[in-house]
Amino acid sequence: MSKEKPAGSEKLWGGRFAEATAHSVEAFTSSIQYDSRLYSYDIAGSKAHAAMLKRQGVLTQDELDAVIDGLSAIEKEIDGGSFVFKSELEDVHMNIEKALVDKIGPAGAKLHSARSRNDQIALDLRLYLRDQCDRFAVLLTDAQKTCVSLARHYLGDIMPGYTHLQRAQPVLISHHMLAYYEMFGRDRQRILDCRKRINLSPLGCAALAGTGLPIDRESVAEELGFDGVTANSMDSSGDRDFAIEFVSCCALIQTHLSRISEELVLWSSQEFSFVDISDKFCTGSSIMPQKKNPDIPELIRGKSGRVIGSLMTLFTLLKGLPLTYNRDLQEDKEPVFDAVDTVSASLSIMAELLGNLRFNTDRMKKATQTGFITATDLADYLVMKNVPFREAHGIVGRSVAFCIEKGCELEDLQLDDLQKFSPAIGEDVYAVLSVDGSVNSRLSTGGTARKRVEEAIEKAEKQLGMV
Ligand code: ARG
């Protein structure tokens, strides 16, 4: 006997409720403001699920056709902006399902057979992040290409290499840029490795324990392009390791971006004047008319705080959470989305900025001509003359102290002055004391000699398909 419907039954889960949900509760629990971004994945998952239900005899062909057409129509409405998401319907899953039931009736109401929102949201998030992995791999490749183009363009130009932000040894600008090529390359590998663990289907785990209905998880996984299905229904419905891994990759990418940003901020200062960041990528001051500020690298550096913060949010969310699904997990989406948006925007604007960067090569070279930057080369020279390294270190240290006192550089010293520190020093020392000689002597694998750097550029260009 059908009684008067209680207010709560307007909800898809309203059957056991006698009272309507409080508005404050609807507002507090709703996630539609942000999870609507998952709609295309939710719909793709539902279509694959429905097709499987038909194969298993749970839906008829007519019902399946109606579900597919209905979902396609809803997707079009959402794409076109005419679909109205309702916060009283909580989330993206129920907004779409309710719209489907309203559109096609009973067939729509069968769609949720053998499925829970718990495996549904795990599915949507995995599909979404899988796409983001592919997108990030492209963005990282673009950033790598920009670094390699700069390395190619400035091949042969020399700058000081730093440790402790003190001039240490001369290096090629190209070598410095290729360091970032390596970092972005590792980031790309990490993202693609993380993709492997994302790319397993949780659908069919249902609420937590699996289902008694005759489903075929493997065929749905295959249809959605997954490499397989997850193994344990309880693990899968509450698992967000894959999201933590993805955001951890994001945090490391943003950390790398913050390092190059920091260098750009320093290098574009008047104190360094190593680079000119194009006007297009700078902003001015509202009070100081002379200012040209490196806001883009500053913001990228600053945004590493929010990405690392998102990672901490996810860890804290999962810590101590009992199996299986808990509503806490709804809080996973905003940090994930924020990390995706922040890192992708930072990566692409950094690539754009680097593509427009001009190095002041004269100034950079000049900076290698003071500060005893070839002192290590003199020590190595002595080692080759059979002086034990520790002794050589002392000899060069005393020579440097002598130069500081005289106010000159090592290469300004006369041979007999140098020989006072070690009789092993001969006329050939001057080749070693030159900055170019120093750079080109560093032929060890991974070193900064032009020959090595040129090989590294060629390898990178090949790997990136730039030649
Ligand atoms: N909106 C929820 C989330 O994002 C979907 C799953 C809700 N499941 C549930 N039984 N309440 O996690």
Side-chain angles (χ1 to χ4, degrees):
M1 278 298 325
S2 92
K3 283 199 280 165
E4 176 93 322
K5 275 188 181 179
S9 69
E10 286 309 306
K11 299 267 191 274
L12 292 171
W13 43 254
R16 63 99 70 212
F17 287 78
E19 287 181 283
T21 320
H23 288 308
S24 55
V25 171
E26 284 180 343
F28 190 73
T29 55
S30 162
S31 55
I32 192 63
Q33 323 78 268
Y34 48 84
D35 68 14
S36 59
R37 106 153 58 181
L38 296 172
Y39 77 89
S40 61
Y41 303 100
D42 197 72
I43 288 173
S46 288
K47 284 182 174 175
H49 181 66
M52 180 276 293
L53 291 178
K54 151 73 188 50
R55 290 195 294 279
Q56 302 300 107
V58 181
L59 290 185
T60 66
Q61 184 64 52
D62 285 348
E63 286 169 334
L64 173 63
D65 292 344
V67 166
I68 301 287
D69 291 348
L71 287 172
S72 297
I74 291 168
E75 186 161 24
K76 229 183 230 148
E77 283 171 34
I78 303 176
D79 285 342
S82 63
F83 188 91
V84 182
F85 287 107
K86 296 187 185 126
S87 95
E88 61 272 25
L89 289 171
E90 266 183 60
D91 56 24
V92 65
H93 323 298
M94 292 209 288
N95 268 274
I96 292 174
E97 193 182 326
K98 178 77 165 57
L100 183 69
V101 175
D102 289 349
K103 226 183 242 315
I104 67 168
K110 287 190 174 182
L111 173 65
H112 210 51
S113 314
R115 189 175 72 170
S116 152
R117 277 186 294 153
N118 300 353
D119 56 346
Q120 196 175 353
I121 185 59
L123 174 83
D124 293 3
L125 202 54
R126 282 172 183 266
L127 287 172
Y128 168 77
L129 284 179
R130 182 176 72 185
D131 269 2
Q132 296 310 319
C133 286
D134 295 337
R135 182 168 158 246
F136 272 54
V138 173
L139 288 170
L140 287 162
T141 303
D142 290 346
Q144 283 188 292
K145 283 183 182 164
T146 319
C147 294
V148 173
S149 299
L150 283 172
R152 167 63 74 194
H153 185 80
Y154 288 100
L155 182 61
D157 288 312
I158 292 177
M159 66 179 285
Y162 295 84
T163 62
H164 313 269
L165 203 58
Q166 308 287 324
R167 288 176 194 164
Q169 290 171 347
V171 294
L172 292 184
I173 294 176
S174 310
H175 200 49
H176 197 119
M177 291 321 296
L178 287 183
Y180 286 104
Y181 159 81
E182 293 293 331
M183 285 180 238
F184 294 137
R186 288 195 297 277
D187 289 334
R188 187 170 174 280
Q189 284 169 6
R190 249 186 302 272
I191 279 280
L192 293 176
D193 191 61
C194 160
R195 188 189 193 281
K196 293 181 200 156
R197 281 171 294 282
I198 289 176
N199 201 29
L200 294 171
S201 172
L203 202 63
C205 291
L208 75 159
T211 173
L213 292 170
I215 62 166
D216 175 2
R217 291 186 61 199
E218 285 75 9
S219 70
V220 183
E222 201 180 318
E223 186 168 337
L224 291 170
F226 284 108
D227 294 328
V229 297
T230 57
N232 179 297
S233 63
M234 294 186 74
D235 174 37
S236 310
S237 60
D239 172 27
R240 293 294 182 273
D241 295 3
F242 64 91
I244 292 190
E245 253 191 279
F246 179 86
V247 175
S248 162
C249 292
C250 288
L252 196 41
I253 295 170
Q254 196 72 21
T255 299
H256 290 154
L257 288 171
S258 80
R259 297 185 73 174
I260 196 165
S261 295
E262 171 72 10
E263 298 199 311
L264 290 169
V265 171
L266 286 171
W267 290 351
S268 62
S269 68
Q270 276 173 37
E271 282 67 16
F272 274 85
S273 295
F274 279 6
V275 295
D276 278 331
I277 300 177
S278 138
D279 276 5
K280 282 189 283 188
F281 294 94
C282 290
T283 56
S285 158
S286 55
I287 177 167
M288 297 165 284
Q290 85 283 11
K291 293 296 293 291
K292 176 173 154 181
N293 296 328
D295 299 48
I296 300 299
E298 288 173 292
L299 274 170
I300 294 176
R301 187 177 60 184
K303 282 174 192 289
S304 51
R306 48 196 291 174
V307 184
I308 294 165
S310 292
L311 180 59
M312 291 311 119
T313 302
L314 289 178
F315 267 120
T316 314
L317 199 57
L318 220 61
K319 179 197 166 292
L321 204 64
L323 298 188
T324 53
Y325 179 85
N326 297 272
R327 191 62 178 266
D328 313 46
L329 290 176
Q330 180 166 293
E331 292 291 312
D332 62 356
K333 274 162 286 295
E334 285 174 292
V336 166
F337 295 157
D338 194 70
V340 165
D341 293 345
T342 305
V343 178
S344 58
S346 302
L347 263 176
S348 47
I349 199 151
M350 177 57 85
E352 228 183 300
L353 182 152
L354 289 176
N356 285 275
L357 193 67
R358 218 175 47 76
F359 284 94
N360 300 330
T361 51
D362 291 345
R363 169 99 185 176
M364 292 172 100
K365 176 87 190 256
K366 224 172 177 180
T368 64
Q369 271 142 18
T370 50
F372 317 105
I373 205 160
T374 55
T376 319
D377 299 271
L378 179 55
D380 288 349
Y381 167 89
L382 289 166
V383 167
M384 292 308 286
K385 302 271 176 184
N386 222 14
V387 179
F389 181 75
R390 275 295 149 226
E391 206 177 301
H393 192 285
I395 293 167
V396 180
R398 287 189 290 280
S399 317
V400 166
F402 180 73
C403 286
I404 293 172
E405 205 174 297
K406 278 194 68 173
C408 68
E409 291 295 316
L410 283 169
E411 59 188 329
D412 301 329
L413 294 180
Q414 299 296 316
L415 187 57
D416 34 328
D417 275 336
L418 280 165
Q419 282 172 337
K420 279 184 202 137
F421 296 100
S422 168
I425 297 177
E427 189 64 53
D428 56 347
V429 75
Y430 290 102
V432 160
L433 293 179
S434 87
V435 164
D436 292 82
S438 164
V439 167
N440 288 320
S441 72
R442 300 191 189 285
L443 281 159
S444 52
T445 307
T448 195
R450 182 183 171 123
K451 185 167 162 18
R452 289 288 165 265
V453 172
E454 202 160 4
E455 285 164 5
I457 294 175
E458 275 162 21
K459 197 169 157 206
E461 285 171 339
K462 227 178 254 156
Q463 190 248 320
L464 295 170
M466 293 170 78
V467 281

